[in-house]
Amino acid sequence: AQTVTQSQPEMSVQEAETVTLSCTYDTSESDYYLFWYKQPPSRQMILVIRQEAYKQQNATENRFSVNFQKAAKSFSLKISDSQLGDAAMYFCAYWGDDKIIFGKGTRLHILP
Amino acid sequence: KAGVTQTPRYLIKTRGQQVTLSCSPISGHRSVSWYQQTPGQGLQFLFEYFSETQRNKGNFPGRFSGRQFSNSRSEMNVSTLELGDSALYLCASSLYPAGDAEAFFGQGTRLTVV
């Protein structure tokens, strides 16, 4: 069965600094998608970034980028120039075999 | 355009009752997925509907069911409620089956079972 592991329950970063959130997953599938979602206090999930497993190039969305290591089954999220609005719960998710599996989440605190 | 709308936002039910939650997707979206979020289990996938057909289902008992109407609106039903069903229920809509297209989430329905 597929699993997604986020080993950092909480992290803190100084405003304007860079932070990396870790995610590892386990699957025997070769074709799948990986996502990072942000859940602010409003509880509404927002897609941060999406990566297709067949693409070697790492996805980037403005200040957000990923380091996708398919062989190592690792999918970390880097947030550059952290802003107060980035404070939220971040979930790594795997979509494959018509099912989505979420990690337990990492709560990110931004220190002013 | 309007986002994903979930109603009601909050709900309190008694153990043994049943409940129906509603999700109106973004106009034009044909896929609706449902998720349960609890502090203990985290976010778990319930099921996905696409064009009125259930495409796949997570590992939940048969008390959890859903359906999708021709206008893509979806309902989720939980029968014989248990205390452990207390959770935030999220739905998400997308143009294509989830995974193939970006999913947009609603604000959720907070269900409390007493």
Side-chain angles (χ1 to χ4, degrees), chain B residues 100-113:
Chain B
D100 292 339
E102 180 178 352
F104 295 83
F105 282 79
Q107 290 192 288
T109 293
R110 170 77 65 187
L111 172 65
T112 302
V113 182

Side-chain angles (χ1 to χ4, degrees), chain B residues 21-114:
Chain B
L21 311 183
S22 179
C23 175
S24 293
I26 290 173
S27 178
H29 285 194
R30 294 161 62 193
S31 169
V32 174
S33 310
W34 288 90
Y35 306 86
Q36 182 196 64
Q37 186 174 23
T38 60
Q41 298 298 317
L43 263 165
Q44 293 183 284
F45 169 74
L46 279 156
F47 32 65
E48 182 198 6
Y49 285 86
F50 182 78
S51 293
E52 301 179 65
T53 302
Q54 186 180 90
R55 287 191 72 244
N56 43 68
K57 192 176 192 305
N59 190 25
F60 278 82
R63 300 185 297 106
F64 291 82
S65 63
R67 58 178 175 168
Q68 187 179 34
F69 301 95
S70 58
N71 61 358
S72 293
R73 188 178 71 86
S74 177
E75 287 182 346
M76 189 192 86
N77 185 275
V78 188
S79 62
T80 319
L81 283 165
E82 301 176 1
L83 296 179
D85 296 333
S86 294
L88 179 70
Y89 289 89
L90 294 165
C91 85
S93 77
S94 57
L95 267 174
Y96 306 113
D100 292 339
E102 180 178 352
F104 295 83
F105 282 79
Q107 290 192 288
T109 293
R110 170 77 65 187
L111 172 65
T112 302
V113 182
V114 298

Side-chain angles (χ1 to χ4, degrees), chain A residues 47 72 91 108:
Chain A
L47 177 66
F91 292 96
L108 179 64

